[in-house]
Amino acid sequence: MGKRWQEKRKNEHYYKKAKKEGYRSRAAYKLKQLHEKYDLLAKDDVTVDLGAAPGGWLQVAREKVGREGFVLGIDLEPIEELDYENVKTIQADITEEGIEELILKNLPRRPKVILSDASPNISGVWEVDHARSVDLGRSALSLAQELFDHEGNILIKVFQGKFFEELKREARKDFDFLKASKPEASRKRSAEIYLIGKGFIRD
């Protein structure tokens, strides 16, 4: 049996698993796996989820932060509300000026975690899509610099390509720990990879 068949079976596995366990997307398992490996989320954390639609990561984040934490989801698309008092969603563009003020208005206190599964609108031109993905990664890093008080963890999806190492170098300046990782739930043929930063450094 070939690699393509094995990949299709894996994708179906996570799709069916998400349906069975009540997650809105198979991407929920990417966050679960990265959290298990890097311990990104803790009880009581205030968490901001960028590019949150349809809400699979919101569900996982809420599981990890518990009742005393808080999760804010942001996306250009509307997100169907989750039935938790401490999960809120807003429709907004994370690249727009003033987004940090809007985020802070919707949080009970400054966040400890920023998650970004944001993707650009796919043009089909790889160099363009990669560059736009890196720009979204920079927007997430910029928000970390504005929103984190001290410490703080970040998780950013980005498409691999010629600007990836440059983004990594920029992120390394802001965090004590930085790694790139691809979870098992990611499609093998996908160019997505995740940057994990822990221990935000406040200048």
Side-chain angles (χ1 to χ4, degrees):
M1 293 178 186
K3 287 183 179 178
R4 185 171 293 183
W5 181 86
Q6 292 173 351
E7 177 70 1
K8 184 178 178 183
R9 186 177 181 186
K10 186 186 83 169
N11 293 339
E12 287 175 352
H13 165 72
Y14 284 113
Y15 176 80
K16 289 176 181 175
K17 191 174 171 67
K19 289 286 186 188
K20 183 178 178 181
E21 296 183 357
Y23 291 112
R24 292 183 177 180
S25 68
R26 62 189 297 283
Y29 298 99
K30 300 176 191 178
L31 179 55
K32 277 178 170 283
Q33 290 165 3
L34 290 166
H35 169 72
E36 284 169 15
K37 192 169 183 179
Y38 296 104
D39 195 25
L40 294 161
L41 295 146
K43 269 198 168 180
D44 305 348
D45 277 349
V46 171
T47 300
V48 177
D49 182 4
L50 310 173
W57 278 28
L58 290 174
Q59 291 172 293
V60 175
R62 170 56 177 76
E63 289 173 11
K64 303 306 177 187
V65 304
R67 291 183 179 182
E68 301 305 315
F70 186 88
V71 186
L72 176 67
I74 305 163
D75 202 284
L76 283 169
E77 301 297 323
I79 305 167
E80 184 183 345
E81 293 292 328
L82 286 162
D83 193 21
Y84 296 109
E85 288 184 0
N86 61 337
V87 177
K88 185 174 182 178
T89 64
I90 55 175
Q91 195 172 351
D93 185 342
I94 66 168
T95 67
E96 281 194 355
E97 191 175 337
I99 186 66
E100 61 274 7
E101 287 92 348
L102 178 62
I103 290 171
L104 285 172
K105 278 182 190 174
N106 285 278
L107 295 178
R109 57 189 182 275
R110 286 189 175 269
K112 283 289 180 121
V113 181
I114 291 175
L115 307 171
S116 178
D117 201 30
S119 290
N121 290 325
I122 302 301
S123 70
V125 179
W126 176 246
E127 293 82 1
V128 172
D129 294 337
H130 164 62
R132 287 176 177 170
S133 169
V134 169
D135 284 344
L136 286 172
R138 287 200 173 100
S139 293
L141 283 176
S142 178
L143 283 171
Q145 291 158 1
E146 294 291 333
L147 299 175
F148 284 159
D149 188 4
H150 56 86
E151 293 301 309
N153 299 335
I154 198 165
L155 174 63
I156 303 170
K157 179 172 78 179
V158 65
F159 298 157
Q160 295 179 74
K162 64 180 181 179
F163 301 122
F164 176 65
E165 288 301 324
E166 185 179 326
L167 182 67
K168 259 178 85 174
R169 285 194 296 273
E170 291 170 23
R172 190 167 280 119
K173 296 173 187 174
D174 289 334
F175 293 91
D176 286 331
F177 171 93
L178 190 81
K179 279 279 187 183
S181 186
K182 187 166 182 171
E184 171 65 26
S186 283
R187 292 176 173 88
K188 284 277 192 297
R189 297 173 71 189
S190 169
E192 71 182 15
I193 194 164
Y194 290 85
L195 282 178
I196 299 98
K198 297 187 70 175
F200 176 71
I201 302 164
R202 170 61 68 196
D203 291 337

